[in-house]
């Protein structure tokens, strides 16, 4: 999302910004506003139970008004605006005589368009739009139903002036759920302050194919890690304890994308997910189940892909039987952008939009985002007897419940003065810097890092800062537009002051344009890059150390939402002439430190072999340059760990740590092991992690065991270690992975400090889905393993008795 498969979603440019949707005047005459039949309807009584308020409102609504609540406005947003881009009430009334339920991304200017071409709305103008629309809905429509606004908030609020944090795969590298909770609390307050109620976040797809451009939006490959990060994200957005109503500064989360999205066929976005029910239940379902049962997100979004011939948006088994039935989900199910239309356009299981709407509404999809292209046909379908009005009522009920739970009937308006004060304030910027620092993973270091600045009066070293990502702060997809961004070059300038000489060269360009929204991706001219490489070599010739920032742009790793807007790759190698740049600089014989700024894990075999140090930075957000400078000079000791396996080549795929025993036998003329394993990351200090100590050698299937692990800082610097606990079922009735992550904790230790960490493993750590597809704990022996990554582990044996 967004998806350009719909013919309405067209190339973004200044000349052709969008294809306007047809007017949404639903069948039937619009009821004129009239005086209420009673002084105070029950649905307007804030003290009444929400269920009673929904029942009262629902029985007053016409069919046209009900269907209107399932529609959202985005493509046609521009048709509601006057010349000053403010809401024109007459246009709203003409286009939506029966009202509409939702409004997409009020912070953008006119609908789907690149904010680089059409700048978004700032805090005040966003609130002006929101308040104008709410005032219209509450005072000019027959029943006065407020509008549900939604925004993107994947790694900060994606809006002009908001705070930008590292991308989710970077945040997952922190292995720090508490920090994820704090970041999402900031995201929630910045979104809520503009009068918006729903955030389209977090993504809890497990990602098992790095060719897939959306891997950057995920928390990685492991179900347990993704689930813990997802729970923390939802608690940050909504508040802890599965709140019934939203507290001030909170928004409802939208859990996405259910499911299989992260391992598409051929690694291409929206491709079929050739995944069995067992694989779904063992790996893809658990993060969703954990977040739903523990954190209670307000909404869930199905995935674009099909599973075993049935697209998720048409799967009653997935949305009704599993999501609502097995997991007890009570919130709203909102479509991904244009996904219902795609049941006709891409999947070809519906002859037209009306048929697509029937498939989705009967499967349980409550709202058609972002424009209602299919659901606007539902009035006619009800009239024709193709779907029961009771089915419509069920969907409308879910959408109204969100509005009542959010308090929109009582508090629909936002305060621009308060919003300006809390948006991208000092606390938010400080957290962005901390997040970037804790998200970096040190992959290699021969002692070159940390760099040192000379004492006063000593000779100043020269540092060459080179690369296509050295002088730009790359924010990744679904990005906001923070007031200030800090590149690596900016951060180093601030760090060294006058104590070191800095020289800069771009080295190469990766793509001619790095606008995430732009459809066409053009690689930079190799001949021009050859000249840039020569200039970079000359700039670095006199340097003492080279810092090289390479990786991706927002165009080389992104969501491929249409045939004309691709984002997936068939290779994991560095794009363009970046390897040539590294080789040329390495030939100078200088120490070279590589900082990877990227969205997907790349097969940097030669870089890893020949660089003196390598930091995996991902896209680090607005404060990334300061964080990198802190890490390079040792003011921050990197402590992140990889949330994904980094393959040596695309030929190894799929490559993930929790594989089955028969996998990865080996290759002729190639390695079977990854370049870097899941959970891996170094430090400027050293740690020892002891063998797991079990509180008991045996437990019953419903029992639990306490696992204690000693960890000590055996080096000379303070630093962080992530102690990881894995489980392996030695003999089972169905095949099981060689290991599965079941617990972890990140700890900070001073030099010489030692601690004993305690972890509790209960039946959930030992369950499997047996041959009858029942979740059970089978008696037998289990290895309990502890270590700093998924490879360097020490084990103890636990027996589960009958």
């Amino acid at each position: 999302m967004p998806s350009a498969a719909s013919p309405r979603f067209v190339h973004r440019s200044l000349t052709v910004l969008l294809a306007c949707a047809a007017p949404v005047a639903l069948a039937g005459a619009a009821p004129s506003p009239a005086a209420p039949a009673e002084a105070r309807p029950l649905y307007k009584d804030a003290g009444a139970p929400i269920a009673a308020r929904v029942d009262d409102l629902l029985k007053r609504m016409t069919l046209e008004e009900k269907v209107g609540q399932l529609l959202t406005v985005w493509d046609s947003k521009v048709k509601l605006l006057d010349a000053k881009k403010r809401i024109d009430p007459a246009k709203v009334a003409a286009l939506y005589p029966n009202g509409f339920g939702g409004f997409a991304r009020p912070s953008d200017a006119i609908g789907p368009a690149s904010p680089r071409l059409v700048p978004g709305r700032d805090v005040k103008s966003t609130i002006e739009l929101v308040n104008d629309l709410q005032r219209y809905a509450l005072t000019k429509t027959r029943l006065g139903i407020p509008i549900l606004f939604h925004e993107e908030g994947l790694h900060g609020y994606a809006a002009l002036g908001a705070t930008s944090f590292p991308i989710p795969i970077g945040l997952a590298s922190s292995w720090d759920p508490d920090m994820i909770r704090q970041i999402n609390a900031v995201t929630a307050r910045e979104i809520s302050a503009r009068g918006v109620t729903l955030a389209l976040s977090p993504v809890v797809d497990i990602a098992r194919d790095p060719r897939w451009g959306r891997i950057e939006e995920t928390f990685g490959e492991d179900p347990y890690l993704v689930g813990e990060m997802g729970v923390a994200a939802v608690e940050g957005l909504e508040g802890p304890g599965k709140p019934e109503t939203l507290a001030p500064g909170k928004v409802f989360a939208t859990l996405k994308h259910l499911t299989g999205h992260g391992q598409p066929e051929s690694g291409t976005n929206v491709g079929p997910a050739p995944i069995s029910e067992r694989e779904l239940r063992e790996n893809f379902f658990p993060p969703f189940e954990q977040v739903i049962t523990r954190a209670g997100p307000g909404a869930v979004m199905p995935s674009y892909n099909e599973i075993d011939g049935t697209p998720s948006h048409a799967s009653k088994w997935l949305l009704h039987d599993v999501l609502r039935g097995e997991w007890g989900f009570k919130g709203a199910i909102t479509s991904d952008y244009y996904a219902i239309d795609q049941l006709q356009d891409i999947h070809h299981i519906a002859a037209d939009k009306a048929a697509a709407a029937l498939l989705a509404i009967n499967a349980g999809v409550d709202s058609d985002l972002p424009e209602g292209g299919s659901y606007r046909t539902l009035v006619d379908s009800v009239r024709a007897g193709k779907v029961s009005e009771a089915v419509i009522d069920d969907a409308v009920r879910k959408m109204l419940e969100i509005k009542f739970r959010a308090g929109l009937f009582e508090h629909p308006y936002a305060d621009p003065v308060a919003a300006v004060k809390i948006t991208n304030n000092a606390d938010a910027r400080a957290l962005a810097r901390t997040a970037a620092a804790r998200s970096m993973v040190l992959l290699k270091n021969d002692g070159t890092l940390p760099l040192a600045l000379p004492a006063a009066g000593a000779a100043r070293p020269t540092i060459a800062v080179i690369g296509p990502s050295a002088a730009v702060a790359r924010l990744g997809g679904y990005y906001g537009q923070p007031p200030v961004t800090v590149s690596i070059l900016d951060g180093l300038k601030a760090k060294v002051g006058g104590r070191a000489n800095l020289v800069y060269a771009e080295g190469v360009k990766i793509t001619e344009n790095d606008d995430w929204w732009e459809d066409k991706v053009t690689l930079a001219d190799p001949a021009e890059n050859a000249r840039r490489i020569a200039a970079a070599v000359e700039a670095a010739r006199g340097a003492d150390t080279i810092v090289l920032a390479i990786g991706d742009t927002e165009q080389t790793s992104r969501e491929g939402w249409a045939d004309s807007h691709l984002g997936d790759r068939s290779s994991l190698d560095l794009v363009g002439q970046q390897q040539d740049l590294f080789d040329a600089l390495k030939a100078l014989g200088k120490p070279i430190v590589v900082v990877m700024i990227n969205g997907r894990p790349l097969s940097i075999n030669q870089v890893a072999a020949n660089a003196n140090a390598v930091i995996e930075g991902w896209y680090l957000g607005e404060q990334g340059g300061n964080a990198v400078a802190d890490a390079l000079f040792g003011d921050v000791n990197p402590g992140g760990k990889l949330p994904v396996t980094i393959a040596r080549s695309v030929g190894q795929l799929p490559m993930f740590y929790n594989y089955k025993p028969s996998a990865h036998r080996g290759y002729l003329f190639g390695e079977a092991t990854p370049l870097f394993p899941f959970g891996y990351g170094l430090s400027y200090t050293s740690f020892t992690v002891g063998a797991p100590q079990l509180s008991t050698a045996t437990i019953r299937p419903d029992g639990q065991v306490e696992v204690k692990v000693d960890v000590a800082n055996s080096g000379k610097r303070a630093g962080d270690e992530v102690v990881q606990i894995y489980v392996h079922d030695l003999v089972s009735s169905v095949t099981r992975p060689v290991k599965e992550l079941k617990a972890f904790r990140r700890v900070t230790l001073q030099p010489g400090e030692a601690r004993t960490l305690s972890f509790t493993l209960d039946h959930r750590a030992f369950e499997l889905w047996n041959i009858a597809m029942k979740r059970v704990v089978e008696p037998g022996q289990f290895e309990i393993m502890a270590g700093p990554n998924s490879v360097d582990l020490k084990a103890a044996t636990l027996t589960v008795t009958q």
Side-chain angles (χ1 to χ4, degrees), residues 464-479:
V465 186
I466 310 292
S469 293
V472 59
R474 301 201 184 279
L475 302 180
Y478 291 99
Y479 60 91

Side-chain angles (χ1 to χ4, degrees), residues 451-456 459 461 463 495-497 499-500 633 635:
L451 304 176
L453 288 170
I463 301 171
K495 175 66 65 176
V496 305
R499 292 182 292 170
F633 284 94
D635 296 317

Side-chain angles (χ1 to χ4, degrees), residues 67-235:
V67 171
Q69 287 299 303
L70 309 184
L71 309 182
T72 299
V73 174
W74 193 39
D75 297 51
S76 59
K77 180 185 300 186
V78 68
K79 299 178 73 175
L80 307 182
L81 305 176
D82 61 21
K84 296 181 179 180
K85 295 188 177 68
R86 293 196 61 172
I87 289 297
D88 184 331
K91 292 181 178 181
V92 178
L95 281 170
Y96 295 92
N98 300 290
F100 54 87
F103 196 90
R105 308 184 190 185
S107 63
D108 68 33
I110 58 172
S114 169
R116 296 190 183 185
L117 301 176
V118 184
R121 299 172 186 268
D122 63 13
V123 175
K124 291 182 177 179
S125 61
T126 301
I127 290 175
E128 181 180 70
L129 177 74
V130 168
N131 286 351
D132 285 349
L133 277 168
Q134 292 291 36
R135 189 173 298 107
Y136 173 87
L138 289 164
T139 64
K140 301 299 183 182
T141 64
R142 189 175 72 91
L143 294 170
I145 303 173
I147 295 166
L148 180 68
F149 292 90
H150 73 251
E151 288 276 17
E152 297 287 354
L154 198 57
H155 52 114
Y157 182 16
L160 181 63
T163 308
S164 180
F165 297 97
I167 57 172
I169 199 170
L171 295 175
S173 299
S174 73
W175 292 58
D176 187 351
D178 287 339
M179 187 184 75
I180 303 300
R181 198 173 286 108
Q182 294 172 40
I183 287 168
N184 279 274
V186 170
T187 301
R189 81 184 185 204
E190 292 190 358
I191 293 176
S192 175
R194 298 200 198 189
V196 177
T197 301
L198 185 66
L200 302 187
S201 178
V203 171
V204 293
D205 301 298
I206 65 166
R208 285 184 156 187
D209 197 324
R211 294 174 297 178
W212 182 52
R214 301 194 78 174
I215 191 171
E216 68 180 47
E217 301 175 33
T218 76
F219 293 128
E221 73 185 39
D222 179 69
Y224 182 80
L225 177 63
V226 172
E228 292 303 301
M229 295 301 186
V231 167
V234 173
E235 288 180 343

